Amino acid sequence: MLITSSNQSMDIVDLAQIPQAIETLARWHYDEWQQLYPEESLADFIADLRASTAAIPVPSTFVARENDVLIGSISLLERDMEIDEPWTPWLANLFVHPDYRQRGVGKQLIKHLTQFCRANAVKQLYLFTPESRSYYETLGWTLVRRQAYKGQMVDIMVRAISAEAP
């Protein structure tokens, strides 16, 4: 998917197409979320991203680039929380580099993932967030519940994936 605006062009590609990005993305993800996964090392984050390059829908990771510079990522995972619920799959790893925030990159990544889910017959999608509930609500997500998770309060949210385009 190629998105152009003024003098910038952003594309979103499957991580399997650019596996050389794994270590950079893993470092970004580790730095951003290690407090939620204290038992995991940087090597674990790298292994998780490598697993998402297999030719199956879940797990998958997509990468946003602007003029071939990595600017963000999003993943589709079978599980993103260790909880006693059968909910699957999960939007995870939505990350936009700080230099590219507030420019719609996250929204474009979510749109891309939603289209991917629709194409792969995913009926609904879950996520959890410690801080961004209002952002996701503006994009059509609904709160399932708020709960303590690994020392933080998080919001678990769901979004139906309709047959029509968003």
Side-chain angles (χ1 to χ4, degrees):
M1 170 187 282
L2 180 64
I3 300 139
T4 58
S5 64
S6 59
N7 59 359
Q8 310 291 330
S9 68
M10 180 180 79
D11 64 336
I12 299 174
V13 298
D14 192 314
L15 181 59
Q17 294 177 280
I18 53 167
Q20 66 274 18
I22 289 173
E23 290 193 22
T24 298
L25 293 176
R27 170 54 67 188
W28 289 353
H29 296 175
Y30 181 78
D31 290 346
E32 188 77 9
W33 299 302
Q34 66 184 359
Q35 76 281 1
L36 286 171
Y37 305 99
E39 70 284 354
E40 292 190 25
S41 67
L42 177 59
D44 293 322
F45 278 72
I46 290 169
D48 288 346
L49 285 170
R50 279 203 178 107
S52 73
T53 63
I56 56 175
V58 181
S60 289
T61 295
F62 299 96
V63 181
R65 301 180 300 181
E66 187 173 271
N67 300 319
D68 290 328
V69 174
L70 299 178
I71 63 173
S73 67
I74 194 167
S75 297
L76 180 66
L77 303 179
E78 183 175 342
R79 305 276 299 164
D80 194 30
M81 294 182 79
E82 298 166 15
I83 58 173
D84 259 348
E85 297 292 349
W87 304 329
T88 192
W90 292 71
L91 178 157
N93 299 332
L94 177 60
F95 179 86
V96 176
H97 188 279
D99 294 345
Y100 295 88
R101 292 181 183 164
Q102 304 299 314
R103 294 174 42 190
V105 175
K107 185 176 180 180
Q108 289 300 319
L109 282 162
I110 292 169
K111 181 179 178 181
H112 184 86
L113 186 69
T114 302
Q115 291 169 344
F116 178 80
C117 287
R118 187 175 297 110
N120 285 280
V122 172
K123 302 291 186 215
Q124 57 190 7
L125 191 55
Y126 295 89
L127 65 78
F128 80 93
T129 179
E131 304 170 337
S132 301
R133 175 178 165 182
S134 61
Y135 172 75
Y136 288 108
E137 285 175 333
T138 66
L139 299 175
W141 293 79
T142 303
L143 180 68
V144 174
R145 72 175 179 233
R146 184 162 175 77
Q147 75 173 61
Y149 185 67
K150 298 194 178 186
Q152 291 189 46
M153 291 304 292
V154 300
D155 296 311
I156 300 174
M157 305 185 80
V158 66
R159 179 174 175 197
I161 306 296
S162 65
E164 301 88 37

